[in-house]
Amino acid sequence: MRIPIAHQGYPFIGLGLMATALFVLLGYTPGWVIFGMLTVFVVAFFRDPERQPAGGDKTLLAPADGKIILIEEKEMSPFSSARTIKISIFMSVFNCHVNRVPQKGRVEKIVYRPGSFYSADQSRASSENEQNALLLKTDDEQEISIIQVAGLIARRIVCWVKPGQKVARGERFGLIRFGSRVDLYLPPAVRLRVQRGDKVKGGLTIIGTYD
């Protein structure tokens, strides 16, 4: 039976449990209370529940849990000169940080870029922070870009897919450790079903639909 925790969290959880047990053995209450609480937080952060993707083939899912902090039209997408709709989702340390594929298709490109670590809710985070960009081409030739952006505390972007790989709606493709942001770039023909300030869940919330 699958444990609903991303395996990247196992080392942190193990360290937390060992530290908690050590302070219990030493009889030092403040120590085991603090490390016990930290371990609970780490378990919650790396949680990875099973989710059944919502909607049908013409719906686009949220790639991450969090709050929509930006929706705007852009003249260019990250991988082409085509117009696009940019949606930014901010993930706090309390959100599930596993990222999911918004629509089935094929991973065309993956481009990693080192950078700064400004707070992920700042606008300059999209252009200056460390990030990992995926170009996804859907089965009906729509192009979608998903950008994993590191934040002030997040210093590790994890991507589990590779160029050429076929992916399904709601499939896990990566995570970002300890607070971050995901920028989603959609074709301008997409009819959005969310607005700024909405809270969304990766693989469950329908971002928009298209013909």
Side-chain angles (χ1 to χ4, degrees):
M1 191 172 180
R2 180 181 175 274
I3 299 175
I5 298 174
H7 68 271
Q8 280 79 9
Y10 293 170
F12 298 96
I13 296 170
L15 287 172
L17 289 173
M18 287 190 291
T20 302
L22 176 62
F23 282 112
V24 168
L25 292 173
L26 293 174
Y28 184 60
T29 301
W32 70 258
V33 168
I34 291 172
F35 278 95
M37 292 176 65
L38 286 173
T39 303
V40 170
F41 166 76
V42 172
V43 170
F45 179 88
F46 284 102
R47 67 190 183 276
D48 182 16
E50 293 291 346
R51 291 178 176 175
Q52 184 64 35
D57 291 341
K58 295 297 184 179
T59 57
L60 297 163
L61 302 174
D65 288 26
K67 181 179 179 180
I68 295 179
I69 59 173
L70 177 70
I71 297 179
E72 65 177 356
E73 292 190 10
K74 304 285 289 185
E75 292 295 328
M76 297 177 62
S77 70
F79 290 97
S80 73
S81 58
R83 292 181 61 84
T84 185
I85 301 173
K86 177 183 177 181
I87 300 175
S88 296
I89 301 172
F90 174 71
M91 297 180 286
S92 77
V93 293
F94 300 107
N95 289 123
C96 174
H97 273 59
V98 174
N99 304 141
R100 296 175 182 263
V101 176
Q103 182 56 278
K104 66 177 180 179
R106 181 176 182 271
V107 179
E108 295 290 306
K109 294 180 182 179
I110 299 177
V111 178
Y112 168 78
R113 193 192 76 190
S116 302
F117 296 97
Y118 295 113
S119 178
D121 58 353
Q122 296 184 17
S123 58
R124 61 180 176 177
S126 289
S127 58
E128 299 183 41
N129 278 19
E130 175 180 323
Q131 57 189 257
N132 189 60
L134 286 76
L135 174 62
L136 174 69
K137 181 168 285 187
T138 67
D139 291 348
D140 51 5
E141 300 300 310
Q142 300 282 346
E143 289 192 350
I144 298 172
S145 299
I146 313 160
I147 319 295
Q148 298 171 285
V149 183
L152 181 65
I153 302 175
R155 299 297 174 109
R156 181 77 170 95
I157 296 175
V158 180
C159 183
W160 298 318
V161 297
K162 298 179 180 180
Q165 181 175 334
K166 290 187 176 181
V167 290
R169 296 175 71 250
E171 179 178 339
R172 304 167 179 85
F173 74 85
L175 63 79
I176 316 173
R177 287 212 300 250
F178 303 119
S180 42
R181 165 182 183 151
V182 171
D183 291 336
L184 180 64
Y185 293 82
L186 302 174
V190 170
R191 297 185 295 276
L192 297 182
R193 291 176 54 174
V194 293
Q195 59 186 354
R196 185 173 179 175
D198 284 355
K199 293 182 178 180
V200 298
K201 287 187 175 294
L204 291 179
T205 303
I206 296 175
I207 290 289
T209 61
Y210 64 93
D211 297 324

